[in-house]
Amino acid sequence: MNVHDSERLAGLLDGAGYVPVELVPQKAARATDAGDQGADVVVINTCSVRENAATKLFGNLGQLAAVKRERPGMQIAVAGCLAQQLRGGIVEKAPWVDAVLGTHNLDVLPALLERARHNHEAAVEIEESLKVFPSTLPTHRESAYAAWVSISVGCNNTCTYCIVPHLRGKEHDRRPDDIVREVEAVVAQGAIDVTLLGQNVNSYGVSFSNRGAFAKLLRTVGNIDGLERLRFTSPHPAMFTDDVIDAMAQTPAVMPSLHMPLQSGSDRILRAMRRSYRSEKFLGILDRVRQRIPDAAITTDIIVGFPGESEEDFQATLDVVEAARFSSAFTFLYSPRPGTPAASMDGQVPADVANERFQRLLELQQRISTEENQKLEGSIVEVLIAQGEGRKDAQTERLSGRAADNRLVHVALPANLSQRPRPGDMVRARVTHGAPHHLVADSALDGGLFDIRRTRAGDAWEAAEKRRQQLQAEADGEAPVSLGMPTIRVHRNDG
């Protein structure tokens, strides 16, 4: 969601006459690099799900304070969930910030920057309810070959640990025709991989009283000509119905990957979390998905150390993880969020106990992920080559991307290759090794399988890369800047 919103913020700046240098990969550089590279505007789009979000924000703002002393004309804007939560408190703690805007009014960013520049004081504007649906705003997509498309914003659930409904508001669904038109547009621009986004995608349709709307949407979008891969995130187990499984199984473009948040394997803890399903129902969903889609890779979210979690409760989580055979899991230590019911619950789990449980869960999931990936050794995968997925590609002389089931795959190139695959192109290779967090497909090294399919998406990436290089040259060779979170850097074109 934040990447999607960052692309909209960048699109707004494009339209306001700024020249985008690049959207920055996470954790790429230091905030103070902004001074060295001459950025005129830095936008920090924030998250508030984890407790350390504010610490990271103000740490990065502290680094930028020194930059701004050297270059007082540089502007700093803070957007997103933490801005919605802290409001003017951001400027109180960091008075060198120029603009603060929340989740409901992304469209005001250019106006706030201009107002702050004119008035020589911070401009803060927070709305209490959604004013403009983010997907209706102009966009500057980070990828030429893949796109995020939001189908809804907000959430109607009341999970006791979650701050999102408070900051994003009640669920608002887009009309199906608007979603289809956006997917058709991004496909026409070269994208072949689309992910539908929502806080709870399978409740889509509740705003217009059509509870079967999500399954219908999957079928409709999945049949758009030119779209090769369709995914969605995230569903809620309580509302995950068999018509969605049928749509996944019967629509070739819908990929065999599913993110299904568990949160806890203990029914008692699920009840305390206000998660309206129990472990038996959760495992039943996975069984039905695998019956219809045998090669599905299922991932999950799990919280460790929720208030009141006993050793017995945690063991129930380990038991469900063992039974579920997730391909991977996003595991989190419980993080109390002010204003949520769980933050004031009795039985807060001591940090040392939670950490010890967390390590046990990591070890279990790593074993399972390794075993599941090793089962794929010898199989053939079609990999959508991506940019920035393989951090060690230069050293290993491989390319990286995603298989149909969304597993990360590192692919070796054959010797004397005349034409390298581009991001957005497809490569077929045979898996030679399954590691905990990725697959290796080195079949090309011994003269085995290695096929390249050049795609429209690769063409789009190539054209976008040429444009990016041209813009970067016009902006005096400014290099990427990162604040350790989704960041936009722009150079103002006053001509």
Side-chain angles (χ1 to χ4, degrees):
M1 276 293 193
N2 278 5
V3 175
H4 170 274
D5 288 354
S6 291
E7 292 180 347
R8 303 293 163 168
L9 292 168
L12 288 164
L13 293 171
D14 283 351
Y18 292 82
V19 177
V21 177
E22 190 181 358
L23 281 170
V24 191
Q26 238 177 338
K27 303 177 183 176
R30 299 169 298 123
T32 48
D33 291 346
D36 299 333
Q37 306 304 334
D40 295 314
V41 174
V42 177
V43 181
I44 308 177
N45 189 24
T46 63
C47 178
S48 189
V49 169
R50 306 293 299 147
E51 187 176 19
N52 62 356
T55 302
K56 288 184 177 181
L57 169 64
F58 288 108
N60 285 312
L61 291 177
Q63 293 180 38
L64 284 171
V67 178
K68 191 154 185 176
R69 283 194 292 270
E70 296 293 324
R71 300 179 52 247
M74 183 184 74
Q75 288 191 293
I76 303 166
V78 180
C81 286
L82 203 57
Q84 185 78 25
Q85 182 180 9
L86 299 180
R87 303 169 181 252
I90 291 174
V91 176
E92 291 175 10
K93 290 191 67 173
W96 53 92
V97 169
D98 298 277
V100 178
L101 61 150
T103 59
H104 299 309
N105 58 333
L106 300 183
D107 61 305
V108 302
L109 173 61
L112 292 187
L113 291 172
E114 193 61 40
R115 187 193 309 170
R117 187 182 296 112
H118 180 270
N119 295 340
H120 304 288
E121 64 179 17
V124 179
E125 191 167 310
I126 305 294
E127 295 287 351
E128 298 301 325
S129 59
L130 190 68
K131 297 301 179 184
V132 179
F133 204 103
S135 288
T136 65
L137 300 173
T139 187
H140 183 107
R141 290 192 0 249
E142 185 174 359
S143 168
Y145 49 86
W148 309 101
V149 174
S150 178
I151 68 171
S152 65
V153 294
C155 183
N156 293 338
N157 294 316
T158 57
C159 302
T160 55
Y161 55 82
C162 187
I163 194 70
V164 169
H166 175 65
L167 302 179
R168 291 273 184 178
K170 292 291 186 180
E171 181 175 327
H172 290 268
D173 296 333
R174 295 176 72 190
R175 299 300 301 182
D177 289 351
D178 293 337
I179 297 167
V180 171
R181 279 193 292 268
E182 182 177 355
V183 176
E184 289 174 338
V186 299
V187 169
Q189 294 162 8
I192 59 175
D193 185 315
V194 168
T195 302
L196 303 178
L197 297 176
Q199 299 298 151
N200 178 11
V201 290
N202 55 314
S203 69
Y204 174 75
V206 67
S207 297
F208 45 89
S209 302
N210 186 344
R211 294 200 172 272
F214 183 60
K216 296 175 186 175
L217 183 68
L218 283 181
R219 294 180 187 275
T220 302
V221 173
N223 285 307
I224 290 175
D225 189 39
L227 177 63
E228 297 193 27
R229 294 185 170 188
L230 178 63
R231 308 181 197 279
F232 58 89
T233 194
S234 292
H236 192 294
M239 287 155 268
F240 196 80
T241 50
D242 287 350
D243 62 335
V244 174
I245 300 174
D246 291 340
M248 293 177 65
Q250 296 166 3
T251 311
V254 179
M255 293 292 95
S257 62
L258 176 65
H259 186 74
M260 184 64 69
L262 170 64
Q263 307 303 3
S264 175
S266 163
D267 290 349
R268 190 180 72 84
I269 294 299
L270 287 172
R271 192 174 298 109
M273 289 177 167
R274 288 190 201 148
R275 300 286 287 179
S276 47
Y277 56 89
R278 300 297 173 255
S279 57
E280 183 178 2
K281 177 173 182 173
F282 184 92
L283 290 172
I285 292 171
L286 305 197
D287 287 343
R288 294 196 301 279
V289 169
R290 286 172 170 143
Q291 286 169 7
R292 298 299 312 277
I293 313 168
D295 56 346
I298 301 175
T299 58
T300 197
D301 298 327
I302 300 173
I303 296 172
V304 176
F306 186 82
E309 181 187 72
S310 65
E311 180 61 27
E312 182 181 5
D313 294 318
F314 179 66
Q315 184 59 52
T317 295
L318 297 181
D319 292 343
V320 172
V321 170
E322 186 73 69
R325 307 297 294 180
F326 299 115
S327 60
S328 66
F330 298 92
T331 53
F332 306 92
L333 286 166
Y334 167 71
S335 179
R337 310 309 297 127
T340 61
S344 57
M345 284 182 177
D346 294 334
Q348 300 287 325
V349 178
D352 59 338
V353 174
N355 276 297
E356 189 273 336
R357 291 175 183 169
F358 186 75
Q359 290 304 315
R360 277 192 281 157
L361 176 59
L362 286 181
E363 290 170 7
L364 172 61
Q365 183 56 53
Q366 178 148 316
R367 173 178 64 78
I368 293 170
S369 296
T370 303
E371 292 169 353
E372 293 301 305
N373 285 349
Q374 287 174 343
K375 291 178 183 178
L376 297 173
E377 292 175 0
S379 65
I380 295 172
V381 289
E382 185 172 49
V383 181
L384 173 59
I385 299 300
Q387 187 174 26
E389 286 274 24
R391 292 174 295 173
K392 298 180 180 178
D393 283 353
Q395 301 97 295
T396 62
E397 298 183 348
R398 294 186 178 100
L399 293 179
S400 298
R402 295 284 168 174
D405 64 9
N406 211 35
R407 283 180 166 92
L408 177 63
V409 186
H410 303 303
V411 185
L413 302 176
N416 304 316
L417 184 65
S418 60
Q419 197 171 43
R420 289 170 62 93
R422 306 160 300 178
D425 287 340
M426 293 284 193
V427 167
R428 287 176 72 247
R430 192 176 300 278
V431 176
T432 53
H433 177 65
H437 307 296
H438 63 265
L439 304 175
V440 175
D442 279 352
S443 53
L445 296 182
D446 58 4
L449 178 66
F450 184 87
D451 291 334
I452 301 173
R453 177 163 63 88
R454 293 173 70 82
T455 67
R456 296 181 306 101
D459 296 340
W461 176 87
E462 192 169 8
E465 182 64 10
K466 289 178 181 177
R467 289 195 298 271
R468 186 195 68 79
Q469 290 174 358
Q470 181 182 2
L471 287 171
Q472 188 137 349
E474 291 173 357
D476 301 322
E478 292 179 345
V481 178
S482 173
L483 303 182
M485 57 184 70
T487 310
I488 302 167
R489 295 151 340 276
V490 295
H491 185 279
R492 186 63 188 261
N493 181 356
D494 292 321

